[in-house]
Amino acid sequence: MEQGTAEQEPVARAWVPAQPGPAAPRRHSVRGQVLAALRHALVGGELTPGEVYSAPALAERYGVSATPVREAMQQLAGEGAVEVVPNRGFRVAECSSRELAELAEVRGMLEVPAIVRLARALAPERWEELRPLAAAGVAAAARGDRVGYAEADHAFHVALMSLTGNRRLTEVAGDLLRRTQWPVGGSRLRTAELLADASEHTALLDALVAQEYAVVERIAREHVSAARHPH
């Protein structure tokens, strides 16, 4: 949250996207819509790593008060996407390759054993429930839609982890994935890399249906590795 007893003249860079944005969010879901729009702007590269953006400027962009923008930015700060800059606004975080590798290591510790346990516990037909989510990811990747793929990727992994019945695990895994989706140094995955990532969802489901446990573990481990998210 921007600090200080009085609103100061913003000295942060104003955000002026190249393309016209969506209509102003409706009152009953302002914060949620602003949060979604900011996530899209971050993943899509409209907000530049290292730059500072003021809540009033972003609020003007969306036609809302600064309060829901600050609230959304605070949540993004908790996800590691931005950093609070007192009396100025929020700086878009610059995730290093080392940080990305550390996130991948933690994801591997949590997700891979969970997937292997699920592979042995669930009937093969249960995995078909995730096919539409995997297909949505492939479709977004084929379009080169980084924002759409990020959301499809998140939805797939959350649905996968939710099969464990462990809500905390699902929440933590989802948060860790969000932290790997922000561009590193302003660079982004190319379409071919998006497709490679998306295809692993389908390959994982195929192995789960076939009950090929060694293949399941290999694909799951490779999928969360830092090498698959080079940015």
Side-chain angles (χ1 to χ4, degrees):
M1 182 170 63
E2 298 176 36
Q3 301 173 359
T5 58
E7 190 81 34
Q8 299 186 16
E9 185 69 21
V11 293
R13 170 180 164 181
W15 177 31
V16 184
Q19 299 296 327
R26 289 175 291 181
R27 299 179 70 87
H28 73 278
S29 57
V30 171
R31 179 182 173 279
Q33 292 191 40
V34 169
L35 177 61
L38 289 172
R39 277 190 176 135
H40 285 200
L42 285 160
V43 175
E46 293 177 47
L47 298 180
T48 307
E51 293 288 344
V52 178
Y53 299 89
S54 71
L58 293 172
E60 183 177 358
R61 161 75 176 90
Y62 289 112
V64 299
S65 72
T67 298
V69 174
R70 290 190 181 98
E71 291 174 348
M73 280 295 202
Q74 286 288 355
Q75 180 163 340
L76 290 170
E79 296 175 5
V82 300
E83 303 164 347
V84 177
V85 181
N87 299 318
R88 293 185 63 200
F90 302 86
R91 178 183 292 110
V92 178
E94 298 184 82
C95 186
S96 68
S97 297
R98 176 171 180 172
E99 289 172 316
L100 200 63
E102 289 174 349
L103 287 169
E105 183 178 7
V106 177
R107 287 186 67 201
M109 292 176 179
L110 292 176
E111 291 189 48
V112 175
I115 292 171
V116 171
R117 288 196 302 271
L118 286 171
R120 298 180 181 277
L122 296 184
E125 55 268 21
R126 289 293 306 278
W127 301 112
E128 297 299 338
E129 299 171 11
L130 301 185
R131 290 286 182 188
L133 295 175
V138 171
R143 297 192 303 269
D145 180 359
R146 294 172 178 82
V147 173
Y149 178 66
E151 292 306 312
D153 187 32
H154 189 265
F156 179 87
H157 282 273
V158 167
L160 182 58
M161 289 297 98
S162 69
L163 292 174
T164 65
N166 187 322
R167 289 182 298 174
R168 295 299 184 189
L169 173 60
T170 303
E171 291 171 2
V172 171
D175 177 69
L176 289 171
L177 176 56
R178 285 287 190 204
R179 291 170 182 268
T180 70
Q181 291 179 329
W182 314 127
V184 177
S187 62
R188 297 176 295 174
L189 288 172
R190 297 185 294 271
T191 298
E193 292 167 333
L194 290 175
L195 278 169
D197 206 53
S199 69
E200 289 181 349
H201 292 165
T202 301
L204 178 62
L205 290 180
D206 289 343
L208 286 164
V209 170
Q211 297 181 307
E212 297 175 341
Y213 304 126
V215 177
V216 166
E217 182 171 3
R218 176 180 59 79
I219 294 174
R221 196 169 300 282
E222 290 177 354
H223 184 65
V224 300
S225 71
R228 177 50 62 201
H229 299 279
H231 295 279

